[in-house]
Amino acid sequence: MKQSLRLGAAASALLLTLATGAHAQPALSSLTVLSAGLMQSQSNPLLADWTTPYGAPPLDQIEEAHFRPAFDEAFMRHAAEIEAIANNPEAPTFENTMLAMEMSGQQLSRIASVFFNLTSSASNDEIRAIQREMSPRLAAHSASITLNPALFARIDALYQNRDSLDLTAQQARLLETTHEDFIRAGAQLDEAQRARFAELRSELAGLYTQFSQNEQGDREAWTLALSEDDLEGLPAYVVSAAAGAAADRDMDGHVITLARSSVEPFLQTSPNRDQRETAWRAWTQRGDNDNANDNKDTIRQILAARLELANLLGFETFAHYRTAGTMAGTPDAALALMDQVWWPARERALEEAADIEARIAAAGLDHELEPWDWRYYTQQVRAERFDIDETEVKSYLQLDNMIDAMFYVAGELFDVSFRERTDIPTYHEDVRVWEMLDADGEVAGLFYGDFFARPGKRGGAWMSSFRAQNGQTGQIPLILNNCNYNKPAEGEPALLSFTDAVTLFHEFGHGLHGLLSNTEYASLAGTSVDRDFVEFPAQLYEHWLSEPEVLQRFALHYETGEPMPSALLDRLLAAGTFNQGFATVEFLNSGFVDLAYHLNTEPEAIEIDAFENEVLGERQSPEDIPMRHRSTHFLHTFAGEGYSSGYYSYLWAGVLDNDGFAAFEEAGNIFDPELAQKLLDSVYSAGDSQPAMDAYIGFRGREPEVTPLLRNRGFIQAEG
């Protein structure tokens, strides 16, 4: 992401994502650092040379006790490297300043990448304790770099004289983005302001960790035990998942958890309305239970610190600060796009609500439509209108086949192939690893897939990396995708819903953005792009799953191997716009609240529930459609800065992906070679080597239009 400052090939990937800073660390001499490192590396795999294939992290050797001493040494080493660059007596050049920064911090980056992947995918009490300790330290270390006057003076001197430096296009881009990022991180503040800015960064780092750990605490503490009577009426895949969830927790019987892969299918299929309400309330109240995990005050503290930080930099609000570094440019531009979609989406949602209310009345029931009813009755309306049985659909969407499908699409578009390896160390037995081979059969990247939910793993789905592509060192990218599907019983296949399969393709779109990266500098590689552009490659990739050419080849029945019948395929694709009103309103509710929080100038006075209701009330949002992510568990916004004031980015990218895929439709070939090459050159391999709009135009030949998004969501009629 572009908010990731260019602190070095290594440090940029994680330090600045965590972003945050306090007082500068004292620099140590290189001799001190090296002598300490020799002693530590003899017994600590994080500090030793990694002799695994492709230099992959030796995850099977790393223990919790290794992290603190490894971080200690890596902080010292990187501080010494930065000190040498900042205090170099020679005049600044690209090589002795920008390139030197790029090559610094590699040890810290690889340690931090392993650690923070574990905090998300394989956490425990000890890992969480280390995270609470290290997040502020990483913030302090980051600030010691971005607020270093001597270092910024060298960068600024190069930037001011850039036209006379004879730089390559990527060198110029690296200098431009680094200079901009340092300014956005407080480099031009006076001494007192820099000190306060650093304090705020350190404070925010701790608050982000607290918020995410509170959400996880509430989520993992709750289960709903199901009796034999409660299982009546539930489909077999929900019963099986509930049994697996109980076994994972060393419990007997069947339980529903607050993992989306558990609770959402239950809300869709359980005929027990009281239990649906219980599950829904627990799901939406995470972080809002007035217990040790309560996040309401944490939110107020985060908002107050963010506002002060933005004011220090001369911005009216944090929303203005954040959007200034994106394609949107301003909060008003983001809101304008959201408004353009909101009213037709709301109208469609009201029509969908009327269908559900009719269904409730037809069943002879007299209750009002409530949020815990929506998913249950929507499934019934969908099944009736399109003759779709979710159990039947899942029987054709086996995880292994869908993985093959996503690899197939990558091969058709980008001439790459994938080969599974079983000898690459992983952090959990569920994780699988593949080599990505280029057109010449050379290994160009490693792809790690961690697909199943389990205790200690955060909810949702995401892409991350153990290492970014690096044109200077020649290191291939090591990319990780996480999902949270229900793990099947031993010997049974993992069957996905169509939504699950879309998520698989989405995250692999992110994964390809990292795997196909081909930039000169790691700080420009892969997903280091504007926040409202980073979702474009992922959302675009979803479209290929819905193409008959892909489904007919890979949607095979898990027992018979027969392809999905054409009639079922047609009905499934016809249902593509069904319930889009609900889905879009649910999303926009969170987007409006996110921006409203960060446009507010009195955060200490905010009462969370009342604030949500006020914002949604101003939009006349249907009361039975809440936010997709309520504030107290809104990880996108409050567990870091990735999507803060930027949840709208999914919609912005939606404009891009629908308009972008229309190019393939217009060409009459979903794998059109010329378009695929432009897509590779301008987007998937280009990283942040050019501004986001230039990248899109390089692929599409023009700026994006919103019409394809409105049409594909069923909000306007297709032409013809």
Side-chain angles (χ1 to χ4, degrees), residues 583-631:
T584 305
V585 166
E586 180 189 48
F587 162 80
L588 286 172
N589 281 342
S590 289
F592 284 129
V593 171
D594 169 40
L595 273 175
Y597 273 132
H598 295 101
L599 288 167
N600 185 281
T601 56
E602 296 181 348
E604 297 92 341
I606 289 176
E607 292 297 330
I608 304 303
D609 291 358
F611 188 86
E612 292 175 347
N613 292 335
E614 180 183 354
V615 173
L616 301 185
E618 290 172 353
R619 298 282 168 182
Q620 302 173 43
S621 181
E623 292 184 4
D624 40 45
I625 307 179
M627 299 165 63
R628 178 168 177 81
H629 305 287
R630 278 206 57 234
S631 304

Side-chain angles (χ1 to χ4, degrees), residues 18 119-120 123 128 131-132 135-136 202-220 283-289 291-304 306 458-459 590 593-594 597-598 606 608-609 612 627-644 647:
L18 293 171
T119 66
S120 295
S123 189
R128 286 188 282 271
Q131 183 184 13
R132 289 191 294 272
S135 292
S202 185
E203 178 185 338
L204 282 167
L207 290 169
Y208 296 154
T209 298
Q210 179 181 334
F211 185 94
S212 63
Q213 292 189 359
N214 285 348
E215 185 279 334
Q216 185 175 19
D218 262 8
R219 172 166 43 84
E220 294 193 346
W283 191 31
T284 58
Q285 291 295 117
R286 303 189 317 274
D288 188 14
N289 291 302
N291 59 10
N293 295 321
D294 196 90
N295 268 328
K296 293 191 287 293
D297 193 53
T298 306
I299 290 172
R300 285 186 283 267
Q301 293 178 63
I302 289 172
L303 292 173
R306 285 175 173 174
R458 89 177 205 215
S590 289
V593 171
D594 169 40
Y597 273 132
H598 295 101
I606 289 176
I608 304 303
D609 291 358
E612 292 175 347
M627 299 165 63
R628 178 168 177 81
H629 305 287
R630 278 206 57 234
S631 304
T632 53
H633 53 83
F634 201 170
L635 296 173
H636 289 78
T637 292
F638 294 120
E641 291 180 11
Y643 289 87
S644 57
Y647 194 62

